[in-house]
Amino acid sequence: MQVRTHAAPLSRLEADVLILGVPEKGLTERLKEADAAAGGAIALAMGPQFKGKAEETETLFPVQGLGAPRVVLVGLGEKPLDAESWRRVVSAGVEAARGRARRLAIALPEGLDAAVAAEGAAEAALLSAYEFHPYRTEQDPDEIAIEELILVGASAEAAERGAALARAVSWVRDLSNMPGNKLGVGDLVGQARDLAKSHGLAIHVIEGEDLVKEGLRLVHAVGRGSEMPPAFVTLEYRGAGKDAPVVALVGKGVTFDTGGINIKPRAGMEEMKTDMHGAATVLGVMRVASERKLPVNLVGVMAIAENMPNGNATVPGDVVKAYNGLTVEIVDTDAEGRLILADSLAYTVKNYRPEVVIDLATLTGSIIMALAYEASGLFTNSDSLAAALTAAGEATGERYWRMPIWDVYAEQVRSPIADLRNIGKEKGDAIHAAKFLQNFVGETPWAHLDIAGPSWISEPKPYRPKGSTGVGVRSLIHWLEQRPR
């Protein structure tokens, strides 16, 4: 979708649909001018059917005088407008215009910073219009897709900033939506290589049996049941001085998760193609950070494997030594994500000595039981990091909810025959998984984000379609931009 801006009067607009935000308290001066140009059509629509309540929509057709024959009114509500509520308004407007516009125009609202409004409009419009059906052999000839987005009253810089972020999130969605036979281990490694080449990032890849030689035995143990050799990828973006501290992001990259020998139930297993969402998010953040030239030294670490059961697969009860020397009893091969994250965290802490490390993973069904699909679980050893990530989540609509990792939970992951076991003995798996991971970060400020809930949804939400949502990219970029220098 192309994005451009329009500074001239609405009467000179050339669009199929125009989205106008209307506050519940009545028409503003700018809207009164638009209403006058439209011959009073907007004021006439205000009444029993449309009151301007938040995200309420009303479509006017035909309309003359506003440069678009169809106008979608979207309620702004009565509360002060902020970036997230504006994104939700735009999403409602795009849904109302879906299938009716190749050229969609959005007029920026009053009462919100123009740059914030422009960025949010571009971001939400592109994310709302996202679709994924590349394997259809026939497309609907009557299906009308938005080809051009016109932002009225916006600066080109702010519009492109929002659009670029949305494109990165859409790329993460694409990766996570792709089936396992289209995005295997080598394919995801290839995506990382392509990103490194196009965005000037340093990349290092360790594959197959070399993982054992490098001490990444847990990563190897998870992937050795597959015909696709597992891999370990590091990407480096240097946006600050040589001596500036490093921020590290670690992502789980299981391209398909059968559960291994502890095989999963049949129902819903096809969704396990998304178990690499954490790694895809890391790629998305690295892409946006380099495009925005953020003044930070950022390292992205991804352990990539396919968890399959065959004659060479890890079996329950195996004991494997982790990168930091701790021994792990693998009680459940379906608790594989924490294994590859453990090696990844230990490797990152030792080799990069980061100021802070954050891992992301579609890790447990347990966190969905606790938080449903509205928030990701946040586990951390740092109160200040918890506060900063929570604030970033609230600002972007990608909410995080802090969960406990008290010492009392440590007993759950102690093994009678090794240092650790990879699954707890009682209920509370999301907490036990985080407590397991804490053994691999030492004193480094660390946060574990269990994104299993909001990363994949079966029913659409504002600017989040059914399927992969690309969650994590926007909030982590916001967090990086707000960090003290």
Side-chain angles (χ1 to χ4, degrees):
M1 185 190 304
Q2 294 183 334
V3 179
R4 67 179 178 89
T5 59
H6 176 81
L10 290 175
S11 59
R12 298 183 185 177
L13 187 66
E14 293 182 1
D16 301 312
V17 178
L18 168 64
I19 296 175
L20 290 174
V22 180
E24 191 171 346
K25 62 186 178 182
L27 300 185
T28 63
E29 291 303 315
R30 191 182 301 173
L31 284 171
K32 288 179 181 178
E33 293 177 9
D35 183 52
I42 299 173
L44 188 62
M46 301 289 289
Q49 291 185 328
F50 181 77
K51 297 183 179 297
K53 294 184 180 297
E55 300 169 49
E56 177 189 9
T57 63
E58 180 73 15
T59 300
L60 310 181
F61 177 82
V63 177
Q64 296 183 0
L66 293 181
R70 193 178 302 270
V71 174
V72 175
L73 306 180
V74 187
L76 300 177
E78 59 180 356
K79 295 181 180 179
L81 199 62
D82 60 21
E84 173 59 12
S85 59
W86 169 238
R87 284 190 291 266
R88 294 174 70 94
V89 164
V90 171
S91 179
V94 172
E95 283 302 310
R98 187 180 292 277
R100 299 182 181 278
R102 297 191 189 280
R103 295 175 299 175
L104 176 66
I106 303 174
L108 299 192
E110 298 172 72
L112 187 63
D113 178 81
V116 172
E119 185 174 342
E123 184 182 327
L126 268 67
L127 292 178
S128 298
Y130 174 86
E131 293 180 335
F132 185 84
H133 41 70
Y135 310 116
R136 290 182 185 172
T137 55
E138 293 184 6
Q139 303 295 331
D140 184 350
D142 296 325
E143 193 171 276
I144 298 176
I146 301 171
E147 299 174 354
E148 185 178 30
L149 176 66
I150 307 163
L151 298 182
V152 181
S155 73
E157 181 180 359
E160 181 52 37
R161 179 180 167 90
L165 179 58
R167 292 185 185 110
V169 174
S170 295
W171 175 52
V172 171
R173 289 176 176 177
D174 284 347
L175 295 177
S176 191
N177 277 325
M178 291 173 70
N181 67 330
K182 300 297 183 182
L183 189 79
V185 175
D187 301 305
L188 190 51
V189 172
Q191 292 284 338
R193 291 188 190 277
D194 290 345
L195 179 67
K197 183 177 180 180
S198 63
H199 285 66
L201 308 177
I203 186 170
H204 180 58
V205 180
I206 307 170
E207 297 176 286
E209 295 301 320
D210 288 342
L211 292 166
V212 176
K213 297 176 184 178
E214 293 292 330
L216 296 163
R217 300 176 187 86
L218 290 176
V219 178
H220 182 266
V222 169
R224 76 185 197 192
S226 170
E227 294 183 2
M228 303 179 191
F232 188 81
V233 179
T234 58
L235 289 167
E236 298 180 27
Y237 162 72
R238 298 288 175 176
K242 181 180 179 181
D243 297 326
V246 168
V247 173
L249 302 177
V250 173
K252 173 186 174 183
V254 177
T255 57
F256 195 87
D257 181 21
T258 66
I261 298 299
N262 293 110
I263 198 161
K264 292 179 180 290
R266 176 183 65 183
M269 194 192 284
E270 71 278 2
E271 294 180 6
M272 290 301 101
K273 65 184 181 179
T274 70
D275 215 14
M276 35 58 66
H277 197 299
T281 300
V282 169
L283 290 176
V285 174
M286 298 295 293
R287 169 175 162 171
V288 178
S290 61
E291 288 175 350
R292 292 189 175 183
K293 296 181 171 53
L294 297 187
V296 61
N297 290 337
L298 187 64
V299 171
V301 178
M302 292 154 287
I304 305 173
E306 184 182 56
N307 188 20
M308 285 283 181
N310 76 356
N312 193 45
T314 295
V315 300
D318 282 359
V319 175
V320 179
K321 182 181 287 187
Y323 186 84
N324 66 351
L326 292 176
T327 54
V328 178
E329 180 189 9
I330 302 176
V331 179
D332 188 339
T333 62
D334 193 25
E336 85 298 332
R338 65 204 71 181
L339 297 175
I340 66 175
L341 288 176
D343 263 359
S344 302
L345 288 167
Y347 181 98
T348 302
V349 168
K350 178 179 179 180
N351 292 284
Y352 290 101
R353 301 186 181 279
E355 182 179 62
V356 60
V357 58
I358 297 173
D359 74 77
L360 303 97
T362 48
L363 206 64
T364 68
S366 174
I367 201 65
I368 301 176
M369 296 296 291
L371 302 176
Y373 299 91
E374 299 297 336
S376 299
L378 165 60
F379 303 82
T380 181
N381 58 7
S382 167
D383 291 341
S384 60
L385 183 56
L389 287 171
T390 299
E394 290 294 330
T396 57
E398 296 184 341
R399 287 177 166 164
Y400 300 108
W401 188 260
R402 191 175 187 182
M403 303 288 286
I405 47 171
W406 302 318
D407 289 341
V408 69
Y409 294 115
E411 179 59 33
Q412 290 292 322
V413 293
R414 290 198 182 107
S415 166
I417 66 169
D419 296 320
L420 299 167
R421 52 183 281 148
N422 75 322
I423 196 165
K425 305 166 190 174
E426 299 174 355
K427 293 181 179 179
D429 186 47
I431 297 173
H432 304 157
K435 197 63 184 174
F436 175 85
L437 293 176
Q438 193 175 10
N439 290 279
F440 300 90
V441 297
E443 299 301 315
T444 303
W446 154 79
H448 161 59
L449 304 178
D450 192 337
I451 62 174
S455 66
W456 174 272
I457 54 178
S458 56
E459 294 296 330
K461 299 177 183 294
Y463 62 85
R464 297 170 179 85
K466 178 181 177 180
S468 177
T469 64
V471 72
V473 177
R474 295 166 50 249
S475 52
L476 287 176
I477 287 295
H478 185 89
W479 171 72
L480 286 169
E481 291 183 324
Q482 298 301 312
R483 288 184 73 244
R485 303 299 176 209

